Amino acid sequence: MSDAPIAVQLRNVTKRFGAKTAVDGVSLAVEAGQVFGLIGPNGAGKTTTFSMLAGYLHPTAGSLDVLGFAPSAVDALRGRLGVLPQDALLPATDTVGQLLVHMGRLQGLPAAAALEKARQALAEVEGADWWTQRCGALSHGMAKRVALAQAFLGSPDVVLLDEPTAGLDPRVAYEMRQLVKAKRGRAAIVISSHNLQELEEICDAAAILDRGRVVAQGTMGELTAANAEIRVKVKAGTRRGTGPGLVDVAKLRSLETVRTLDYDDEGCELYVSFERSKAEAEAVIGQVLSVLLGDGVPISGVAKGRSLEQRVMDLT
Amino acid sequence: MSPVTEIGLLASRELRRSVRSVKGLILGIITLVGAVLASLVLTWVEGQKVAEAGSREALVELRRQMLEKQTGDAGLARYLASMPQSLRSFLDLTIWLGPLLVALLGFDAVAGELQHRSVRFWAVRSRRSSYFAGKLLGLWALVALVTVVLSLLVDGFALVRGFVGAADILRWGSRFALVAVVIAGPWAAIATFISSTFKQPIGALLTTFGTFFLLWVVNVAGVATRARALAETGTLPRPHLWEYVYPNAYDNLLLSPEPGKVAIALGVLLGFVALATAGGSLLFARRDL
């Protein structure tokens, strides 16, 4: 963890619903300006953790801080915390403009500033034309973008996004990701999502939850072992063995920088781990490719680390 | 931001939302049509009574005599008899139908937003107590608005028909409207309280109706008991203390010529609103959304 101030912190947080423990002793910290992912399968406790951070749910035990305050301290966090709740419907009878201005006023903005910020927030999600539309008349994608606009309204210091791209078409989802990326460094953004590729793309760090507990957390590089592992994809149908066109596992394992090496015969992929202190990933890639190309093995692709998806599959 | 500003923003938004909703529009139309019909009926009845008595003055005198017999208080009887009966009858109708209007307008005020989780957009921007109070005041303001509009309509009708003069409207019409507005407060508080405890609006609707009906039954029991006493003794006894759990039971106190009684009624009704707001806010703040 760097020296950046902590924007969001959970200490040993537990949430029980009757006999069911949804979140069990979760501790994590999000730095200011960081994009942080909450990852896990259904029932892992992501949304419950998210809801406690937003102040919707009260923890059974433990404590949460957002910018040094309990999430329930609305007055202290006014205008500094923005939230995109999952599955929350916008009020049908309000027009988009009325709603955003009202939200801005509640954030403590004077009327003129609330109007200006509301228009700005709506323009950011490319919805400037919807100002006079009733929220009830918006399509799912439009409503999601309006909800995102209210989350970023007034440039809060912490923004919580629950499944921000769920149900959106690819183009709109891409635009959403670009918007979040544009906010990186200006706000601590916590994203709860099932979309692992998306999280891998936009998050600086993440926590992987399973059955209410944190099973791994760290920077995205740490989680995907980008500094300690490489993957080499070879042409489909390539078998292991010695000789031309075959993957010589023994020869590759004998390389000085290689710590462990596995070959997935089915997926035709090599997983190579190495000592970070002994070599850079690029050097290891060079050595491994040199052996493979020397043996005439056709290469399909090379990547640093495991995919986040693979990591989550391994852990949950 | 002060809670007062916060509540003001929430209440005004709630009022705007209700007025623009389909439910609000339908209820508004029904209420207006009802008011016009009620005006026609009440002024017709008043006209018939005046005709039977011979003149308006004669009718007032008849009423005074009857009220003096019932209450045993000549001053009070003279005061009550001076009220324009068409307007007073409309007040009775307004406060009797008030709970129905409150229940229909308010049952989903909070429950609807809990059901669709829309409340979560507000939870990070307003204190939960302010949200609750804003919903309550918004509902109360809406009912007050409807009441005032209807009263103006009926006042105008009675003025045109010649049953009341401009002075009567200033003296009594405005006071009747005010009484109806004050009495709507506790009903709005109960409805908001119940609405905030349900995630399904239908549950809130049924519970609200059930609660209102129970309070009405308590009142009916009290009135029936006193009516029997009136029939037996010729004098109307004072209401039992327990009858005052029914907010509409305060109308006579609020219309009393004695400022002390008016103050007590106001104090109890507004105290009830404050208590329900405090209790409702506390429960709402502690619940998961």
Side-chain angles (χ1 to χ4, degrees):
Chain A
M1 182 145 305
S2 73
D3 294 333
I6 300 299
V8 175
Q9 186 142 38
L10 287 83
R11 296 184 200 86
N12 252 336
V13 171
T14 296
K15 178 66 180 178
R16 294 190 195 92
F17 297 103
K20 185 179 184 300
T21 302
V23 171
D24 191 3
V26 166
S27 296
L28 54 87
V30 180
E31 294 174 6
Q34 197 174 45
V35 180
F36 190 93
L38 279 178
I39 303 166
N42 289 334
K46 298 189 304 291
T47 295
T48 305
T49 303
F50 181 94
S51 297
M52 287 189 285
L53 278 174
Y56 305 151
L57 304 179
H58 301 290
T60 310
S63 66
L64 302 94
D65 288 347
V66 176
L67 299 169
F69 300 97
S72 56
V74 172
D75 207 35
L77 292 171
R78 193 183 301 279
R80 301 181 68 197
L81 171 65
V83 183
L84 170 71
Q86 188 189 0
D87 299 335
L89 294 186
L90 296 168
T93 52
D94 291 45
T95 65
V96 172
Q98 280 171 348
L99 179 71
L100 292 177
V101 170
H102 172 69
M103 294 298 178
R105 295 299 311 278
L106 281 174
Q107 287 178 203
L109 297 170
L115 184 68
E116 184 197 333
K117 297 283 183 188
R119 286 197 182 279
Q120 190 181 323
L122 198 58
E124 278 188 338
V125 297
E126 297 186 10
D129 296 342
W130 312 333
W131 186 262
T132 55
Q133 286 203 38
R134 293 264 176 131
C135 292
L138 300 174
S139 71
H140 177 72
M142 291 158 79
K144 194 88 169 186
R145 283 200 268 177
V146 171
L148 197 69
Q150 67 79 36
F152 283 111
L153 182 66
S155 304
D157 299 320
V158 174
V159 181
L160 311 176
L161 307 174
D162 198 358
E163 299 287 357
T165 57
L168 296 181
D169 69 54
R171 196 186 70 82
V172 178
Y174 171 79
E175 285 167 2
M176 286 269 203
R177 283 196 292 276
Q178 298 312 306
L179 179 65
V180 172
K181 282 181 184 173
K183 300 285 181 184
R184 173 181 279 139
R186 288 190 276 162
I189 302 174
V190 180
I191 306 177
S192 165
S193 175
H194 280 113
N195 190 332
L196 300 178
Q197 285 167 339
E198 176 179 277
L199 290 177
E200 192 171 356
E201 181 189 337
I202 59 178
C203 290
D204 302 310
I208 301 174
L209 284 87
D210 187 37
R211 297 185 189 93
R213 291 172 177 269
V214 173
V215 291
Q217 68 172 307
T219 64
M220 204 47 77
E222 287 166 349
L223 287 173
T224 57
N227 302 326
E229 192 174 297
I230 61 164
R231 284 176 290 143
V232 180
K233 183 99 176 157
V234 298
K235 188 180 177 185
T238 306
R239 290 178 289 116
R240 67 173 76 200
T242 52
L246 299 174
V247 176
D248 190 339
V249 173
K251 194 196 290 184
L252 288 164
R253 280 184 180 147
S254 69
L255 291 169
E256 193 188 341
T257 51
V258 170
R259 195 168 59 126
T260 64
L261 185 143
D262 291 314
Y263 181 62
D264 175 2
D265 295 273
E266 205 173 303
C268 295
E269 197 161 22
L270 268 169
Y271 297 99
V272 183
S273 72
F274 55 93
E275 292 290 345
R276 265 183 286 183
S277 55
K278 286 186 183 170
E280 295 281 318
E282 288 74 11
V284 180
I285 289 171
Q287 289 175 3
V288 171
L289 290 190
S290 173
V291 170
L292 291 170
L293 291 171
D295 288 340
V297 177
I299 311 294
S300 300
V302 182
K304 290 202 287 184
R306 293 194 175 211
S307 68
L308 185 61
E309 186 177 43
Q310 185 61 52
R311 183 74 171 144
V312 171
M313 291 303 119
D314 293 343
L315 288 167
T316 62
Chain B
M1 182 183 287
S2 79
V4 175
T5 309
E6 209 172 51
I7 292 167
L9 286 169
L10 288 159
S12 56
R13 186 254 165 194
E14 184 64 14
L15 184 60
R16 191 181 64 225
R17 181 189 75 93
S18 301
V19 168
R20 291 186 173 186
S21 69
V22 175
K23 186 181 72 175
L25 287 174
I26 292 171
L27 280 173
I29 291 166
I30 292 173
T31 311
L32 278 175
V33 170
V36 171
L37 289 176
S39 303
L40 287 169
V41 171
L42 292 174
T43 50
W44 179 79
V45 170
E46 178 92 352
Q48 292 295 108
K49 286 183 178 173
V50 169
E52 280 172 21
S55 68
R56 183 166 149 67
E57 289 70 28
L59 180 64
V60 169
E61 178 55 24
L62 279 173
R63 277 196 196 120
R64 191 197 62 74
Q65 287 171 12
M66 184 188 73
L67 288 165
E68 188 174 343
K69 193 180 167 194
Q70 285 181 2
T71 61
D73 184 333
L76 181 63
R78 192 164 46 251
Y79 173 80
L80 292 174
S82 67
M83 292 178 183
Q85 283 310 297
S86 55
L87 302 191
R88 175 64 222 243
S89 300
F90 185 71
L91 171 66
D92 290 340
L93 187 69
T94 308
I95 62 172
W96 192 75
L97 289 175
L100 180 71
L101 189 66
V102 168
L104 290 174
L105 286 171
F107 75 95
D108 62 346
V110 183
E113 292 191 345
L114 284 171
Q115 181 187 33
H116 298 302
R117 297 183 177 176
S118 312
V119 64
R120 292 184 166 194
F121 291 116
W122 278 269
V124 292
R125 293 181 170 89
S126 65
R127 298 170 185 91
R128 296 219 192 157
S129 53
S130 300
Y131 178 84
F132 183 92
K135 287 283 178 186
L136 192 162
L137 288 180
L139 176 60
W140 193 0
L142 180 65
V143 176
L145 183 72
V146 171
T147 303
V148 169
V149 169
L150 294 187
S151 297
L152 288 174
L153 206 75
V154 173
D155 290 352
F157 221 89
L159 187 67
V160 170
R161 295 290 305 271
F163 295 118
V164 292
D168 285 328
I169 288 174
L170 283 176
R171 185 185 175 198
W172 292 111
S174 55
R175 192 166 176 185
F176 289 161
L178 206 59
V179 166
V181 167
V182 170
I183 286 175
W187 291 118
I190 297 169
T192 309
F193 184 93
I194 292 171
S195 183
S196 72
T197 60
F198 283 87
K199 274 192 173 176
Q200 299 296 330
I202 186 67
L205 180 67
L206 294 174
T207 309
T208 305
F209 273 135
T211 307
F212 285 7
F213 180 72
L214 195 68
L215 292 172
W216 179 74
V217 167
V218 168
N219 180 255
V220 167
V223 171
T225 314
R226 286 187 293 120
R228 197 170 58 200
L230 175 66
E232 287 168 0
T233 63
T235 306
L236 191 66
R238 295 174 69 170
H240 309 94
L241 212 54
W242 48 265
E243 282 183 57
Y244 287 105
V245 297
Y246 185 61
N248 290 3
Y250 291 81
D251 59 343
N252 286 331
L253 286 175
L254 288 169
L255 290 171
S256 168
E258 299 172 42
K261 286 184 177 174
V262 176
I264 288 170
L266 267 178
V268 172
L269 291 173
L270 297 181
F272 183 87
V273 173
L275 201 68
T277 307
S281 299
L282 197 68
L283 283 177
F284 193 63
R286 293 171 71 89
R287 71 168 296 166
D288 288 338
L289 298 178

